[in-house]
Amino acid sequence: MFGTSGVRGQFGTDVTVDLAVVIGRAVVADGAERVVIGRDPRTTGPVLRDALSAGVRESGGDVIDCGMVATPTLARAVAWRDADVGVMITASHNPPEDNGIKLWTPSGMAFDEARRGRIAELVEADEYAPADWDAVGTETAWSDATARHRDAIVDAVDPVEELSVVVDVGNGAGGITAGALRALGCSVETLNAEPDGRFPSRPSEPTEEACGTLQAHVAATDADLGIAHDGDSDRMMVVDETGQFPAGDALLALFARGAAGDGDVVAAPLNTSLAVDDVLAEIGGSLVRTRVGDVFVAERAREDDVVFGGEPSGAWIWPDETLAPDGPLAAAKLAALVDREGPLSELLAELPSYPLRRESIEVEGKRNLMETVATRAHEEYDGVESLDGVRVEREDGWFLVRASGTQPLVRITAEGRTEAATAELYDEARALVEDAIEG
Ligand code: MG
Protein backbone atom coordinates (compact mmCIF):
# COMPACT_ATOMS: atom_id res chain seq x y z
CA MET A 1 0.00 0.00 0.00
CA PHE A 2 2.81 2.44 0.86
CA GLY A 3 5.02 2.99 -2.16
CA THR A 4 8.03 5.30 -2.20
CA SER A 5 5.59 8.22 -2.56
CA GLY A 6 3.38 7.06 0.32
CA VAL A 7 -0.25 6.25 -0.43
CA ARG A 8 -1.45 7.67 -3.74
CA GLY A 9 -4.46 7.01 -5.99
CA GLN A 10 -8.03 7.91 -6.79
CA PHE A 11 -9.98 9.67 -4.06
CA GLY A 12 -12.88 7.61 -2.74
CA THR A 13 -11.53 4.26 -3.92
CA ASP A 14 -7.75 4.06 -3.27
CA VAL A 15 -7.51 7.00 -0.91
CA THR A 16 -10.53 7.29 1.39
CA VAL A 17 -11.55 9.19 4.51
CA ASP A 18 -11.53 5.86 6.37
CA LEU A 19 -7.92 5.23 5.34
CA ALA A 20 -6.90 8.73 6.43
CA VAL A 21 -8.39 8.16 9.91
CA VAL A 22 -6.56 4.83 10.22
CA ILE A 23 -3.24 6.34 9.07
CA GLY A 24 -3.70 9.08 11.68
CA ARG A 25 -4.13 6.40 14.37
CA ALA A 26 -1.17 4.41 13.03
CA VAL A 27 1.17 7.39 13.15
CA VAL A 28 0.43 7.82 16.87
CA ALA A 29 0.62 4.05 17.52
CA ASP A 30 4.08 4.22 15.91
CA GLY A 31 5.15 6.69 18.61
CA ALA A 32 4.37 10.20 17.35
CA GLU A 33 3.01 12.70 19.86
CA ARG A 34 3.08 15.86 17.72
CA VAL A 35 2.06 15.72 14.06
CA VAL A 36 2.30 18.53 11.50
CA ILE A 37 -0.21 18.35 8.64
CA GLY A 38 -0.26 20.19 5.30
CA ARG A 39 -2.12 19.80 2.02
CA ASP A 40 -1.92 20.89 -1.59
CA PRO A 41 -4.93 22.63 -3.26
CA ARG A 42 -6.76 19.46 -4.36
CA THR A 43 -10.53 19.66 -3.74
CA THR A 44 -10.37 16.50 -1.60
CA GLY A 45 -7.54 17.83 0.60
CA PRO A 46 -9.64 19.42 3.37
CA VAL A 47 -11.79 16.33 4.03
CA LEU A 48 -8.75 14.01 4.11
CA ARG A 49 -6.98 16.48 6.37
CA ASP A 50 -9.95 16.49 8.79
CA ALA A 51 -10.00 12.68 8.83
CA LEU A 52 -6.28 12.36 9.41
CA SER A 53 -6.35 14.92 12.19
CA ALA A 54 -9.27 13.09 13.82
CA GLY A 55 -7.33 9.80 13.78
CA VAL A 56 -4.31 11.45 15.41
CA ARG A 57 -6.29 13.28 18.09
CA GLU A 58 -8.56 10.33 18.88
CA SER A 59 -5.36 8.45 19.77
CA GLY A 60 -4.11 11.29 21.96
CA GLY A 61 -1.70 12.96 19.51
CA ASP A 62 -1.59 16.73 18.95
CA VAL A 63 -1.95 18.25 15.49
CA ILE A 64 -0.41 21.40 14.05
CA ASP A 65 -2.22 22.34 10.85
CA CYS A 66 -0.17 24.33 8.32
CA GLY A 67 -3.05 24.63 5.85
CA MET A 68 -2.24 24.70 2.14
CA VAL A 69 1.54 24.61 1.69
CA ALA A 70 4.17 23.26 -0.69
CA THR A 71 5.46 19.78 0.21
CA PRO A 72 9.00 21.07 1.01
CA THR A 73 7.44 23.65 3.35
CA LEU A 74 5.65 20.87 5.24
CA ALA A 75 8.81 18.72 5.28
CA ARG A 76 10.78 21.57 6.88
CA ALA A 77 7.96 22.44 9.30
CA VAL A 78 8.29 19.09 11.15
CA ALA A 79 11.58 20.24 12.73
CA TRP A 80 10.53 23.89 13.03
CA ARG A 81 7.59 22.87 15.24
CA ASP A 82 9.48 20.17 17.20
CA ALA A 83 7.06 17.60 15.84
CA ASP A 84 7.69 13.88 15.45
CA VAL A 85 6.07 13.35 12.06
CA GLY A 86 4.85 15.41 9.13
CA VAL A 87 1.91 14.38 6.97
CA MET A 88 1.45 15.90 3.52
CA ILE A 89 -1.88 15.35 1.79
CA THR A 90 -0.98 15.47 -1.90
CA ALA A 91 -0.92 13.40 -5.06
CA SER A 92 1.99 15.52 -6.35
CA HIS A 93 1.68 15.79 -10.16
CA ASN A 94 -1.18 13.25 -10.57
CA PRO A 95 -4.54 14.21 -12.13
CA PRO A 96 -7.01 16.17 -9.98
CA GLU A 97 -9.21 13.17 -9.09
CA ASP A 98 -6.29 11.58 -7.22
CA ASN A 99 -4.95 12.35 -3.78
CA GLY A 100 -2.40 10.82 -1.45
CA ILE A 101 -0.73 10.81 1.96
CA LYS A 102 3.03 11.08 2.37
CA LEU A 103 4.85 10.92 5.72
CA TRP A 104 7.96 12.89 6.74
CA THR A 105 10.59 12.72 9.48
CA PRO A 106 12.00 15.73 11.40
CA SER A 107 15.13 15.55 9.22
CA GLY A 108 13.00 16.54 6.23
CA MET A 109 13.11 13.09 4.68
CA ALA A 110 10.20 11.02 3.50
CA PHE A 111 9.68 7.81 5.51
CA ASP A 112 12.07 5.11 4.31
CA GLU A 113 11.07 1.58 3.38
CA ALA A 114 11.31 0.15 6.91
CA ARG A 115 9.25 2.94 8.44
CA ARG A 116 6.63 2.75 5.67
CA GLY A 117 6.40 -0.98 6.27
CA ARG A 118 5.77 -0.42 9.99
CA ILE A 119 2.97 2.07 9.28
CA ALA A 120 1.46 -0.28 6.66
CA GLU A 121 1.33 -3.09 9.25
CA LEU A 122 -0.33 -0.84 11.81
CA VAL A 123 -2.86 0.33 9.20
CA GLU A 124 -3.61 -3.26 8.24
CA ALA A 125 -4.15 -4.32 11.87
CA ASP A 126 -6.07 -1.14 12.79
CA GLU A 127 -5.72 -2.08 16.44
CA TYR A 128 -5.59 1.17 18.27
CA ALA A 129 -6.19 2.52 21.70
CA PRO A 130 -8.45 5.58 21.76
CA ALA A 131 -7.35 8.16 24.31
CA ASP A 132 -9.43 8.66 27.46
CA TRP A 133 -12.14 11.32 27.19
CA ASP A 134 -9.91 13.87 28.95
CA ALA A 135 -6.76 13.05 26.95
CA VAL A 136 -7.75 13.44 23.30
CA GLY A 137 -5.28 15.52 21.34
CA THR A 138 -5.49 19.19 20.41
CA GLU A 139 -5.30 20.91 17.06
CA THR A 140 -3.71 24.30 16.45
CA ALA A 141 -3.31 26.20 13.20
CA TRP A 142 0.09 27.55 12.14
CA SER A 143 -0.10 30.07 9.32
CA ASP A 144 3.58 31.13 9.25
CA ALA A 145 5.08 28.04 7.60
CA THR A 146 5.31 29.54 4.12
CA ALA A 147 6.85 32.80 5.36
CA ARG A 148 9.41 30.87 7.36
CA HIS A 149 10.31 28.74 4.34
CA ARG A 150 10.64 31.85 2.18
CA ASP A 151 13.01 33.40 4.76
CA ALA A 152 15.09 30.20 4.86
CA ILE A 153 15.47 30.31 1.07
CA VAL A 154 16.47 33.98 1.10
CA ASP A 155 19.08 33.20 3.79
CA ALA A 156 20.49 30.28 1.78
CA VAL A 157 20.82 31.95 -1.63
CA ASP A 158 22.88 34.93 -2.89
CA PRO A 159 20.88 38.06 -3.72
CA VAL A 160 20.11 38.74 -7.37
CA GLU A 161 21.18 41.97 -9.10
CA GLU A 162 18.89 42.02 -12.08
CA LEU A 163 16.81 39.15 -13.35
CA SER A 164 13.34 38.81 -14.78
CA VAL A 165 11.60 35.51 -14.04
CA VAL A 166 8.23 34.03 -15.06
CA VAL A 167 6.86 31.46 -12.59
CA ASP A 168 4.19 29.02 -13.78
CA VAL A 169 2.67 27.75 -10.54
CA GLY A 170 0.26 25.47 -12.45
CA ASN A 171 -2.53 26.30 -9.94
CA GLY A 172 -0.55 24.36 -7.33
CA ALA A 173 0.86 25.15 -3.89
CA GLY A 174 4.02 26.86 -5.14
CA GLY A 175 3.10 30.53 -4.68
CA ILE A 176 6.03 30.75 -2.25
CA THR A 177 8.47 30.78 -5.18
CA ALA A 178 7.33 34.15 -6.48
CA GLY A 179 7.70 35.65 -2.98
CA ALA A 180 11.16 34.17 -2.47
CA LEU A 181 12.40 35.35 -5.88
CA ARG A 182 11.09 38.89 -5.28
CA ALA A 183 12.77 38.97 -1.87
CA LEU A 184 16.05 38.01 -3.56
CA GLY A 185 15.75 40.94 -5.99
CA CYS A 186 14.16 39.37 -9.09
CA SER A 187 11.30 40.96 -10.97
CA VAL A 188 8.65 38.27 -11.14
CA GLU A 189 5.60 37.62 -13.26
CA THR A 190 3.35 34.65 -12.45
CA LEU A 191 1.20 32.36 -14.60
CA ASN A 192 -1.61 30.18 -13.19
CA ALA A 193 -0.87 31.46 -9.70
CA GLU A 194 -4.36 30.93 -8.27
CA PRO A 195 -4.37 27.63 -6.35
CA ASP A 196 -7.09 25.45 -7.88
CA GLY A 197 -7.31 21.72 -7.16
CA ARG A 198 -8.98 21.06 -10.52
CA PHE A 199 -5.72 22.15 -12.24
CA PRO A 200 -7.61 23.94 -15.03
CA SER A 201 -4.62 25.55 -16.76
CA ARG A 202 -2.30 22.63 -17.50
CA PRO A 203 -1.53 19.08 -16.34
CA SER A 204 0.15 19.22 -12.96
CA GLU A 205 3.35 17.47 -14.03
CA PRO A 206 5.77 20.09 -15.42
CA THR A 207 6.69 18.31 -18.65
CA GLU A 208 7.66 20.07 -21.87
CA GLU A 209 4.21 19.27 -23.33
CA ALA A 210 2.50 20.85 -20.31
CA CYS A 211 4.67 23.98 -20.33
CA GLY A 212 3.90 25.34 -23.82
CA THR A 213 2.32 28.54 -22.51
CA LEU A 214 5.32 29.26 -20.28
CA GLN A 215 7.73 28.58 -23.16
CA ALA A 216 5.85 30.91 -25.50
CA HIS A 217 5.57 33.61 -22.85
CA VAL A 218 9.25 33.57 -21.87
CA ALA A 219 10.31 33.54 -25.54
CA ALA A 220 8.01 36.46 -26.41
CA THR A 221 9.10 38.71 -23.52
CA ASP A 222 12.50 39.82 -22.25
CA ALA A 223 12.30 37.35 -19.34
CA ASP A 224 15.61 35.65 -18.43
CA LEU A 225 14.11 32.49 -16.98
CA GLY A 226 10.89 30.49 -16.69
CA ILE A 227 10.11 28.25 -13.71
CA ALA A 228 7.44 25.52 -13.57
CA HIS A 229 6.30 23.52 -10.55
CA ASP A 230 4.07 20.49 -10.05
CA GLY A 231 0.96 20.59 -7.82
CA ASP A 232 2.83 20.39 -4.51
CA SER A 233 5.98 22.19 -5.71
CA ASP A 234 8.58 19.69 -4.67
CA ARG A 235 9.50 19.57 -8.34
CA MET A 236 10.90 22.34 -10.48
CA MET A 237 11.57 22.43 -14.20
CA VAL A 238 12.81 25.30 -16.31
CA VAL A 239 12.50 27.27 -19.54
CA ASP A 240 15.54 29.21 -20.79
CA GLU A 241 15.36 32.80 -22.08
CA THR A 242 14.81 31.58 -25.66
CA GLY A 243 11.80 29.48 -24.64
CA GLN A 244 13.59 26.11 -24.77
CA PHE A 245 12.76 23.43 -22.17
CA PRO A 246 16.04 21.69 -21.27
CA ALA A 247 16.24 18.00 -20.33
CA GLY A 248 16.30 17.22 -16.63
CA ASP A 249 19.79 15.72 -17.00
CA ALA A 250 21.14 19.06 -18.20
CA LEU A 251 19.69 20.83 -15.15
CA LEU A 252 21.13 18.12 -12.95
CA ALA A 253 24.57 18.67 -14.47
CA LEU A 254 24.26 22.42 -13.97
CA PHE A 255 23.21 22.15 -10.31
CA ALA A 256 25.86 19.47 -9.66
CA ARG A 257 28.59 21.72 -11.07
CA GLY A 258 27.36 24.64 -8.97
CA ALA A 259 27.27 22.65 -5.73
CA ALA A 260 30.32 20.39 -5.94
CA GLY A 261 34.04 21.02 -5.63
CA ASP A 262 37.13 18.83 -5.47
CA GLY A 263 36.38 15.57 -3.65
CA ASP A 264 32.64 16.18 -3.33
CA VAL A 265 29.99 13.61 -4.19
CA VAL A 266 26.66 14.12 -6.00
CA ALA A 267 23.87 11.53 -5.73
CA ALA A 268 21.56 10.72 -8.65
CA PRO A 269 19.61 7.71 -9.93
CA LEU A 270 21.33 5.10 -12.07
CA ASN A 271 19.63 6.28 -15.29
CA THR A 272 21.41 9.65 -15.06
CA SER A 273 23.30 10.89 -18.12
CA LEU A 274 27.07 10.59 -18.59
CA ALA A 275 27.05 14.36 -18.92
CA VAL A 276 26.79 14.57 -15.12
CA ASP A 277 29.81 12.25 -14.64
CA ASP A 278 31.81 14.34 -17.11
CA VAL A 279 30.96 17.69 -15.54
CA LEU A 280 31.90 16.39 -12.08
CA ALA A 281 35.12 14.70 -13.29
CA GLU A 282 36.27 18.09 -14.61
CA ILE A 283 36.12 19.65 -11.13
CA GLY A 284 37.39 16.63 -9.18
CA GLY A 285 33.96 15.56 -7.94
CA SER A 286 32.16 12.29 -8.50
CA LEU A 287 28.68 10.88 -9.05
CA VAL A 288 27.19 8.11 -6.93
CA ARG A 289 24.20 6.31 -8.44
CA THR A 290 21.13 5.27 -6.45
CA ARG A 291 17.91 3.38 -7.13
CA VAL A 292 15.40 5.32 -9.21
CA GLY A 293 13.21 7.60 -7.05
CA ASP A 294 13.82 10.81 -5.13
CA VAL A 295 13.49 9.00 -1.78
CA PHE A 296 16.54 6.88 -2.65
CA VAL A 297 18.47 9.97 -3.74
CA ALA A 298 17.57 11.64 -0.41
CA GLU A 299 18.69 8.57 1.56
CA ARG A 300 22.12 8.75 -0.05
CA ALA A 301 22.23 12.56 0.21
CA ARG A 302 21.84 12.24 3.98
CA GLU A 303 25.44 10.98 4.19
CA ASP A 304 28.19 13.50 4.86
CA ASP A 305 30.10 13.28 1.58
CA VAL A 306 27.12 14.31 -0.60
CA VAL A 307 26.67 18.02 -1.41
CA PHE A 308 23.79 17.71 -3.87
CA GLY A 309 21.27 15.11 -4.98
CA GLY A 310 19.04 15.27 -8.00
CA GLU A 311 16.59 13.37 -10.13
CA PRO A 312 16.02 14.38 -13.76
CA SER A 313 12.23 14.40 -13.21
CA GLY A 314 12.79 17.72 -11.39
CA ALA A 315 13.58 16.77 -7.78
CA TRP A 316 16.59 18.74 -6.46
CA ILE A 317 18.11 18.27 -2.99
CA TRP A 318 20.70 20.41 -1.20
CA PRO A 319 21.24 18.36 1.97
CA ASP A 320 22.77 21.26 3.92
CA GLU A 321 19.38 23.00 3.63
CA THR A 322 16.91 20.10 3.71
CA LEU A 323 16.69 16.47 2.63
CA ALA A 324 13.35 17.17 0.94
CA PRO A 325 13.30 17.92 -2.78
CA ASP A 326 12.62 21.67 -2.63
CA GLY A 327 11.26 23.24 -5.83
CA PRO A 328 11.17 26.83 -4.53
CA LEU A 329 14.78 26.55 -3.25
CA ALA A 330 15.84 25.14 -6.63
CA ALA A 331 14.17 28.08 -8.39
CA ALA A 332 16.07 30.54 -6.18
CA LYS A 333 19.41 28.74 -6.61
CA LEU A 334 18.97 28.74 -10.38
CA ALA A 335 17.96 32.40 -10.46
CA ALA A 336 21.14 33.33 -8.56
CA LEU A 337 23.25 31.21 -10.91
CA VAL A 338 21.73 32.70 -14.06
CA ASP A 339 22.09 36.22 -12.67
CA ARG A 340 25.78 35.60 -11.94
CA GLU A 341 26.81 33.51 -14.94
CA GLY A 342 23.91 33.49 -17.46
CA PRO A 343 22.25 33.62 -19.92
CA LEU A 344 20.86 30.16 -19.18
CA SER A 345 20.87 28.98 -22.81
CA GLU A 346 24.65 29.59 -22.92
CA LEU A 347 25.25 27.79 -19.61
CA LEU A 348 23.32 24.81 -20.98
CA ALA A 349 25.13 24.89 -24.31
CA GLU A 350 28.49 24.51 -22.51
CA LEU A 351 27.40 21.18 -21.03
CA PRO A 352 28.24 17.91 -22.75
CA SER A 353 25.27 16.07 -24.19
CA TYR A 354 25.06 12.51 -25.52
CA PRO A 355 22.51 10.64 -27.62
CA LEU A 356 20.08 8.78 -25.37
CA ARG A 357 17.48 6.22 -26.38
CA ARG A 358 14.55 5.15 -24.22
CA GLU A 359 11.99 2.53 -25.17
CA SER A 360 9.56 0.14 -23.49
CA ILE A 361 8.73 -3.46 -24.35
CA GLU A 362 5.44 -5.05 -23.31
CA VAL A 363 6.10 -8.26 -21.38
CA GLU A 364 4.30 -10.83 -19.25
CA GLY A 365 5.79 -11.83 -15.90
CA LYS A 366 8.26 -8.97 -15.67
CA ARG A 367 9.75 -10.17 -12.38
CA ASN A 368 10.84 -13.60 -13.66
CA LEU A 369 11.95 -12.04 -16.90
CA MET A 370 14.17 -9.53 -15.07
CA GLU A 371 15.78 -12.40 -13.13
CA THR A 372 16.70 -14.06 -16.42
CA VAL A 373 17.99 -10.76 -17.82
CA ALA A 374 20.17 -10.29 -14.71
CA THR A 375 21.60 -13.82 -14.91
CA ARG A 376 22.48 -13.47 -18.60
CA ALA A 377 23.93 -9.99 -18.15
CA HIS A 378 26.26 -11.26 -15.42
CA GLU A 379 27.36 -14.08 -17.75
CA GLU A 380 28.02 -11.76 -20.69
CA TYR A 381 29.40 -8.56 -19.19
CA ASP A 382 31.71 -7.15 -16.57
CA GLY A 383 30.47 -3.99 -14.88
CA VAL A 384 26.91 -5.18 -14.18
CA GLU A 385 25.05 -3.27 -11.46
CA SER A 386 21.77 -4.78 -10.25
CA LEU A 387 20.83 -2.21 -7.61
CA ASP A 388 17.59 -1.43 -9.48
CA GLY A 389 17.04 -3.36 -12.70
CA VAL A 390 20.16 -4.34 -14.61
CA ARG A 391 22.68 -1.66 -15.56
CA VAL A 392 25.67 -2.47 -17.74
CA GLU A 393 28.49 0.04 -17.94
CA ARG A 394 31.09 0.06 -20.69
CA GLU A 395 33.77 2.47 -21.75
CA ASP A 396 31.61 4.09 -24.46
CA GLY A 397 28.37 4.24 -22.49
CA TRP A 398 25.80 2.25 -20.55
CA PHE A 399 22.40 0.64 -20.75
CA LEU A 400 19.70 -0.02 -18.16
CA VAL A 401 16.94 -2.63 -18.31
CA ARG A 402 14.33 -2.06 -15.65
CA ALA A 403 10.77 -3.30 -14.99
CA SER A 404 8.10 -0.62 -14.77
CA GLY A 405 6.76 -0.27 -11.23
CA THR A 406 3.13 -0.07 -12.31
CA GLN A 407 2.74 -1.42 -15.88
CA PRO A 408 3.51 -4.75 -17.65
CA LEU A 409 6.54 -3.17 -19.29
CA VAL A 410 10.29 -3.47 -19.31
CA ARG A 411 12.05 -0.18 -20.02
CA ILE A 412 15.35 0.06 -21.84
CA THR A 413 17.57 3.13 -21.61
CA ALA A 414 20.86 3.36 -23.54
CA GLU A 415 23.34 6.22 -23.71
CA GLY A 416 26.62 6.19 -25.62
CA ARG A 417 29.25 8.81 -26.33
CA THR A 418 28.39 8.60 -30.07
CA GLU A 419 25.22 7.81 -32.06
CA ALA A 420 26.78 4.52 -33.11
CA ALA A 421 27.62 3.57 -29.53
CA THR A 422 24.08 4.39 -28.37
CA ALA A 423 22.59 2.28 -31.17
CA GLU A 424 24.87 -0.63 -30.34
CA LEU A 425 24.20 -0.45 -26.60
CA TYR A 426 20.46 -0.27 -27.24
CA ASP A 427 20.57 -3.30 -29.56
CA GLU A 428 22.51 -5.31 -27.00
CA ALA A 429 20.04 -4.45 -24.25
CA ARG A 430 17.12 -5.31 -26.49
CA ALA A 431 18.70 -8.65 -27.43
CA LEU A 432 19.15 -9.44 -23.75
CA VAL A 433 15.41 -8.84 -23.15
CA GLU A 434 14.30 -10.73 -26.26
CA ASP A 435 16.50 -13.72 -25.37
CA ALA A 436 14.97 -13.74 -21.93
CA ILE A 437 11.43 -13.63 -23.40
CA GLU A 438 12.22 -16.58 -25.69
CA GLY A 439 14.04 -18.48 -22.95
MG1 MG B 1 5.43 16.61 -6.36
Side-chain angles (χ1 to χ4, degrees):
M1 178 187 66
F2 277 85
T4 52
S5 306
V7 176
R8 199 182 285 176
Q10 196 167 40
F11 173 78
T13 51
D14 305 315
V15 179
T16 61
V17 161
D18 283 353
L19 180 63
V21 171
V22 176
I23 290 175
R25 292 169 181 162
V27 164
V28 178
D30 188 46
E33 292 173 1
R34 274 164 75 82
V35 179
V36 179
I37 304 181
R39 62 173 181 89
D40 73 13
R42 285 165 197 275
T43 56
T44 55
V47 69
L48 289 171
R49 190 215 68 88
D50 289 349
L52 207 127
S53 173
V56 170
R57 288 179 288 144
E58 178 194 39
S59 302
D62 293 327
V63 167
I64 299 152
D65 176 27
C66 294
M68 196 194 67
V69 289
T71 290
T73 307
L74 184 279
R76 289 171 181 253
V78 187
W80 287 335
R81 297 311 311 263
D82 288 321
D84 306 300
V85 168
V87 182
M88 184 67 191
I89 296 168
T90 177
S92 189
H93 52 273
N94 279 30
E97 60 268 29
D98 287 2
N99 213 330
I101 296 169
K102 191 167 178 178
L103 306 174
W104 297 86
T105 71
S107 67
M109 230 181 83
F111 273 23
D112 64 13
E113 207 164 0
R115 193 93 189 265
R116 291 197 309 268
R118 237 158 63 204
I119 295 291
E121 274 171 30
L122 288 164
V123 166
E124 191 103 340
D126 194 21
E127 289 165 8
Y128 68 103
D132 287 340
W133 67 269
D134 57 352
V136 292
T138 61
E139 180 179 291
T140 48
W142 189 47
S143 59
D144 293 338
T146 296
R148 176 123 183 216
H149 186 189
R150 185 194 58 221
D151 293 348
I153 292 171
V154 172
D155 277 350
V157 178
D158 294 334
V160 164
E161 274 182 18
E162 193 183 353
L163 198 79
S164 158
V165 186
V166 182
V167 181
D168 180 352
V169 189
N171 305 109
I176 175 180
T177 297
L181 291 174
R182 285 192 185 108
L184 284 168
C186 299
S187 74
V188 179
E189 189 185 347
T190 54
L191 299 177
N192 311 314
E194 191 62 36
D196 185 334
R198 295 166 300 135
F199 302 122
S201 61
R202 64 161 168 88
S204 181
E205 186 169 11
T207 60
E208 180 163 10
E209 297 71 47
C211 291
T213 306
L214 177 65
Q215 288 180 280
H217 190 78
V218 172
T221 61
D222 59 3
D224 302 297
L225 178 64
I227 298 288
H229 290 307
D230 67 339
D232 62 326
S233 296
D234 55 343
R235 289 194 186 185
M236 184 217 64
M237 292 300 276
V238 166
V239 170
D240 75 17
E241 81 285 359
T242 72
Q244 294 293 307
F245 188 94
D249 284 290
L251 279 181
L252 177 44
L254 204 59
F255 282 138
R257 192 173 66 183
D262 196 19
D264 289 333
V265 175
V266 166
L270 40 67
N271 56 358
T272 297
S273 170
L274 291 168
V276 182
D277 297 81
D278 289 4
V279 158
L280 287 168
E282 241 172 66
I283 54 177
S286 62
L287 179 66
V288 58
R289 289 187 156 81
T290 72
R291 291 172 67 186
V292 177
D294 59 58
V295 175
F296 300 112
V297 175
E299 277 178 25
R300 186 62 183 81
R302 159 172 70 174
E303 289 169 43
D304 285 345
D305 54 346
V306 175
V307 293
F308 174 71
E311 199 185 48
S313 62
W316 317 114
I317 299 168
W318 285 268
D320 282 352
E321 302 301 326
T322 173
L323 286 169
D326 190 328
L329 174 65
K333 291 255 191 190
L334 188 67
L337 180 74
V338 172
D339 180 55
R340 211 165 49 231
E341 300 174 21
L344 179 58
S345 65
E346 288 175 20
L347 290 174
L348 293 165
E350 289 165 12
L351 297 169
S353 129
Y354 301 111
L356 189 115
R357 190 161 165 193
R358 262 193 193 112
E359 276 172 50
S360 301
I361 303 178
E362 243 177 86
V363 298
E364 283 169 36
K366 61 190 175 191
R367 259 171 243 290
N368 288 340
L369 185 96
M370 282 307 299
E371 276 175 31
T372 312
V373 168
T375 307
R376 293 193 182 193
H378 278 285
E379 284 163 12
E380 278 182 44
Y381 300 97
D382 298 328
V384 180
E385 171 67 77
S386 38
L387 184 67
D388 190 358
V390 172
R391 185 178 187 278
V392 172
E393 185 160 343
R394 295 198 328 198
E395 210 140 275
D396 55 353
W398 57 275
F399 68 74
L400 174 71
V401 181
R402 190 171 170 267
S404 159
T406 51
Q407 294 166 282
L409 296 175
V410 163
R411 301 189 197 282
I412 297 175
T413 314
E415 185 187 41
R417 291 188 184 276
T418 61
E419 289 285 354
T422 298
E424 193 183 309
L425 287 157
Y426 176 80
D427 289 345
E428 287 186 32
R430 176 139 197 146
L432 211 51
V433 175
E434 280 170 358
D435 284 356
I437 290 172
E438 280 164 28

